[in-house]
Amino acid sequence: PETINRIRRASKIAAQALEVVLGSAKPGMTTDRLDEIGHEFLLRQGAYPSTLGYRGFPKSLCSSLNEVICHGIPDDTVIQEGDLLNIDISAFIDGVHGDTNGTVVVGNAPQHVHDLVERTREAMLRGIKAALPGRQVNIIGRAIESYAKRFEYGVVRDFTGHGVGTSFHSGLIIPHYDAPEHTDVIEVGMVFTVEPMLTLGSHAWDLWEDGWTVTTKDKSLTAQFEHTILITDNGPEILTEA
Ligand code: MF3
Ligand code: CO
Ligand code: CO
């Protein structure tokens, strides 16, 4: 319970940081500027950006535009009207991490792009709702994939949710697709992320030469949402709420 209280605090700070960064994204800004805003917010709360220096990752958040599935590195790229922008930001404070991400359309885009964003959020929420104690973790991806399939979206397989707490990635794996071989049983007191990535094309991916930036292989647009959740007797509780 004492560790969970600390994770609550880290998660809340991460959620507030996400709100601040996504709220300040405007056409004409660089992703480096967003990184600076996220970095300064976290430090002001007394937190450290979990990604900064994590396995050599050089920045305080991930910024993933358009066909970038995840782990984009902030740089001098200028955000354009109509871009799909995902920010993934994590706070480390008092020995624990909270991890969250969200996607917005900057300005206006065709309806099918807005639909992808809203349905990806809904897919995440359906995955979270399925996370009841006593079930196997594979129920989560089954719920996500069955929803995504209605719209013929690709469901990314090779990047997963994960246990989070005193470690940024604990070793527990939460698949976002129907993967019956993942049989870990969900227990009260577990804390993990649910962070599906959906695409307008296939789930196949490519890696940039920077060793981090993951794109769709077919360069189709992709969206992601992530919450850190706690499993309680009553079911899942979202910790990354601002
Ligand atoms: N926050 C990401 C996740 O949801 C991990 C980013 S690791 C980094 O698991 F090194 F790419 F920053
Ligand atoms: Co995560
Ligand atoms: Co994350």
Side-chain angles (χ1 to χ4, degrees):
E2 171 272 321
T3 308
I4 284 167
N5 280 336
R6 287 188 282 134
I7 302 173
R8 282 183 189 286
R9 181 146 158 264
S11 297
K12 192 175 191 69
I13 292 170
Q16 290 168 341
L18 180 63
E19 206 172 74
V20 167
V21 174
L22 282 179
S24 55
K26 298 282 175 313
M29 276 174 95
T30 64
T31 51
D32 260 343
R33 177 67 191 130
L34 295 179
D35 177 65
E36 199 173 274
I37 292 168
H39 179 91
E40 281 170 6
F41 180 87
L42 289 174
L43 264 64
R44 248 184 282 124
Q45 310 306 310
Y48 183 88
S50 307
T51 58
L52 185 58
Y54 175 74
R55 297 178 182 234
F57 191 83
K59 298 286 168 117
S60 297
L61 51 76
C62 300
S63 55
S64 300
L65 285 165
N66 301 317
E67 76 276 15
V68 178
I69 295 174
C70 61
H71 304 167
I73 304 174
D75 61 10
D76 58 2
T77 301
V78 176
I79 298 166
Q80 311 288 326
E81 166 87 22
D83 274 349
L84 255 188
L85 169 69
N86 176 276
I87 296 294
D88 191 338
I89 190 159
S90 309
F92 180 71
I93 184 167
D94 217 356
V96 297
H97 302 265
D99 185 11
T100 187
N101 78 52
T103 302
V104 293
V105 179
V106 180
N108 287 305
Q111 187 56 42
H112 71 276
V113 180
H114 292 278
D115 289 345
L116 172 68
V117 172
E118 279 324 300
R119 290 164 180 167
T120 304
R121 186 203 311 277
E122 175 66 19
M124 171 195 64
L125 293 173
R126 287 178 183 230
I128 290 171
K129 285 205 180 90
L132 297 175
R135 291 177 167 181
Q136 295 179 349
V137 294
N138 57 44
I139 195 76
I140 297 167
R142 193 165 308 124
I144 291 167
E145 185 166 26
S146 81
Y147 179 71
K149 261 193 179 162
R150 293 191 200 173
F151 313 106
E152 296 182 342
Y153 292 154
V155 181
V156 173
R157 300 178 165 220
D158 297 338
F159 300 88
T160 67
H162 52 92
V164 60
T166 54
S167 308
F168 191 13
H169 298 97
S170 74
L172 173 67
I173 288 172
I174 310 292
H176 302 119
Y177 63 103
D178 188 6
E181 64 280 14
H182 287 262
T183 56
D184 294 296
V185 174
I186 299 168
E187 290 175 22
V188 173
M190 277 184 169
V191 179
F192 56 80
T193 72
V194 177
E195 50 180 305
M197 289 139 273
L198 304 185
T199 81
L200 291 180
S202 122
H203 61 75
W205 55 277
D206 259 343
L207 189 64
W208 284 6
E209 279 178 8
D210 62 16
W212 282 106
T213 308
V214 180
T215 73
T216 51
K217 200 170 201 82
D218 58 14
K219 310 305 168 201
S220 60
L221 293 175
T222 168
Q224 180 180 23
F225 284 86
E226 172 176 31
H227 274 309
T228 293
I229 68 169
L230 165 70
I231 307 304
T232 76
D233 288 311
N234 304 320
E237 179 188 345
I238 294 172
L239 300 185
T240 34
E241 302 271 31

